[in-house]
Every structure is written in C-alpha cells, then in structure tokens.
Amino acid sequence: MTQNPAVICLTSLSHSGSTVFSMALACHQNTVSLGEVYQVLREGPEYWLNANDKICSCGQPAAKCDYWGPALRKLIEQKVTSPSTDGYFEQAYHLLLDEFRHLYSPQMQAIDTSKGVKHLKLLADSGNIDTRVVFLIRDVRSYSCSQTRLARSENRKGFKKVKGHHWYQMLRWLIDNKKRESLLSSLALPYTTTGYEPFCFEKESVLADTFAFLDLPSRSSSANLAESKHHVLFGNPMRNCESRKQKVHYDSRWFNETGYLTPAAMFPFVMQYNKAKVYRAHEPINNDVTALFPEFGAHS
Ligand SMILES: [Zn+2]
C-alpha cells in the first residue's frame, strides 16, 4: 500500500509570527521546515540549482543542500521544469514530497510556509497529497500597532497614507483573516486556527494541541528554537540573529500604545472576532501575571 505524500501548511497574514511559529513546529522530532515551497517552485528548479548566491538555511546553496539538491535534480530528471506548463505545480509538489519521504523516514513530515493561498488551492485540488493546515492569527491590537508603525516609518504618500491608520489595519486584518478562513472551509482542507499570543505565552500547551491536530506523537524534548530542523531556501529562516533563535521573543510594544483603542470601540466586531479566533481555545489566556512579566515572579 502506498501512502499519499503529506505536507503541513502554515498559513497566516504577513507579519503574524509565522517564522517563529514554523521554527517551533520544526523542533518536533518528526518535522522539517522547507520554507516557502511554492515560491521556490515558481522560479523553477534550474534557477535554484544555478543560483550559487542563494543559500539554504542549512548553509549550502541549493545544488549542495542535502534536501533541495536531490529534490530539484529530480524535477529536472522528470522534466518538470517549467512553471508555465499545465500541471507543473502539482507534479512538482508530488516529486518534492516523494523525495522528502525518500530522504527522511516515512513518519517525517514537511512543513510548507508559503505565502498567499495559491498552493492551498492547488493542494486541495490535487486530491492525493494529504494536507493539513495550521492557520496562525496574531492579536489584532499587536498587528495593527506594528503595521501602522511600519507604514508611518515608510512615509507613504497619497492614498497609501491610509496604511498608517489603525482603523484601516484593523479592518484589513479582519477582512483578510475572514477571507482566508472561508477559503480554507471551502477547500475542505483539514485546518486548525491558532493564536500567536497564546503560542507565545503558553507555548507548550499550544504546541501540544497543534501536534495532536497534526497526528504527531508527543515531542521528545522541550522546544529550543535552535533545535529546529530546516531547509529554508526561500523565506525568512531567522538565520541572521543567533540570540533570537533560542526562544520566543514577544514584541510587546503595543502594550504601551493607545492608537487602536478608538477603532476597537468603533468596530466591536473586530474585537469579537479577535477574541473568538486568537484566544478561542485558550481563555483565559493566563491568569498568572508572572508569565507576562517574569520580573514579578518568584525572587526566592
Ligand atoms: Zn538545505
């Protein structure tokens, strides 16, 4: 009996913590993150095998990477090389996952952190790739504070100035997350929704729930992000900052900001969705104030 190839897709709006979350998922003994697979495929295998300046997170260019080297050469061998050809992406995904299974033991699972939704539609259509989706949502207050901060620092002109407003970012957040949620439902892919904040503050229990959804056995050790296994050829592997790799650092700047308060009062439905989706399974998030402010913790 041949089992279908399987893949775990981590999906979220951009700037929602997917990089750090994917590294935490890849700390499981049975998972390896392959970064943004769809974006690798979009360039075609020849591009990557010849691009000696594009370095995989393992430290090697694609041609010498233990995973991408043989996987991309397999695409060329099978003449699956041209992204504009009909059926290219589906065939290519298949070959990549076959190669993954060939290289690692059969219980290992690949993590795909591709942006956008094209790969999700394609995987749902393929019908013979077992796909499970983890949908990560960041607290709208944290999201809108960081997005407005970013937009204002970019000094946008004209209509794009709207990006520097909390009301715009909060509505954008709601619309885009709802859109993705209804897409996942309509594709009938098995998915789970996870809040980024519960992950940061109750990491072990959120990860345990996620691994259970993914049918992965209990993790053998507690996650140190530096232990994650990855071949990220395209995407943000957090490779540039050694200290950030050790543990989850939560950007708490929004705790001191108030710009989201008025739109939050004007759009209670945004806050209701936030509460329902981000904190759904983890309410109250944590009554123990020492989890948020370790300096108030035991001094003994
Ligand atoms: Zn690699």
Side-chain angles (χ1 to χ4, degrees), residues 125-266:
D125 283 347
S126 94
N128 53 5
I129 296 174
D130 290 339
T131 307
R132 281 172 210 233
V133 183
V134 179
F135 180 25
L136 186 67
I137 305 186
R138 178 173 166 191
D139 188 306
V140 67
R141 295 162 292 182
S142 166
Y143 177 85
S144 85
C145 285
S146 84
Q147 293 295 86
T148 50
R149 215 183 291 124
L150 183 73
R152 286 172 192 184
S153 74
E154 286 170 349
N155 235 330
R156 303 215 182 237
K157 300 269 180 289
F159 177 71
K160 288 197 168 167
K161 262 188 146 75
V162 76
K163 294 191 172 187
H165 290 281
H166 284 270
W167 64 265
Y168 173 81
Q169 294 297 347
M170 291 171 85
L171 291 176
R172 194 76 260 168
W173 173 94
L174 181 71
I175 292 165
D176 290 351
N177 277 314
K178 278 195 158 180
K179 221 193 266 176
R180 193 155 305 197
E181 197 188 10
S182 64
L183 176 79
L184 288 170
S185 306
S186 72
L187 292 176
L189 289 172
Y191 76 96
T192 185
T193 306
T194 301
Y196 178 64
E197 278 69 15
F199 159 68
C200 289
F201 300 126
E202 295 184 0
K203 190 158 122 255
E204 295 305 322
S205 90
V206 169
L207 287 176
D209 289 352
T210 310
F211 293 136
F213 163 77
L214 296 169
D215 267 345
L216 290 165
S218 300
R219 201 169 33 172
S220 54
S221 69
S222 186
N224 174 341
L225 295 186
E227 288 164 15
S228 66
K229 302 166 295 313
H230 45 84
H231 285 290
V232 178
L233 189 53
F234 189 100
N236 176 6
M238 276 174 64
R239 64 181 142 216
N240 296 326
C241 183
E242 281 304 318
S243 65
R244 279 183 66 198
K245 282 185 188 170
Q246 302 299 317
K247 59 184 171 81
V248 177
H249 167 78
Y250 185 70
D251 179 358
S252 60
R253 280 176 290 178
W254 72 272
F255 290 2
N256 294 318
E257 295 176 20
T258 54
Y260 66 87
L261 287 170
T262 307
M266 282 165 65

Side-chain angles (χ1 to χ4, degrees), residues 56 58 65 231:
C56 176
C58 66
C65 163
H231 285 290

Side-chain angles (χ1 to χ4, degrees), residues 7 39 151:
V7 66
Q39 282 73 16

Side-chain angles (χ1 to χ4, degrees), residues 40-96:
V40 170
L41 290 178
R42 211 166 47 184
E43 303 291 345
E46 272 132 0
Y47 168 86
W48 293 103
L49 289 172
N50 292 315
N52 289 322
D53 55 330
K54 301 278 191 298
I55 307 296
C56 176
S57 62
C58 66
Q60 296 293 336
K64 290 186 178 159
C65 163
D66 288 344
Y67 172 70
W68 287 108
L72 294 168
R73 281 190 287 273
K74 181 60 124 314
L75 297 189
I76 290 178
E77 225 176 271
Q78 302 284 324
K79 301 193 166 49
V80 180
T81 53
S82 168
S84 56
T85 318
D86 271 358
Y88 161 82
F89 283 99
E90 194 191 330
Q91 281 175 295
Y93 255 102
H94 249 284
L95 290 170
L96 288 187

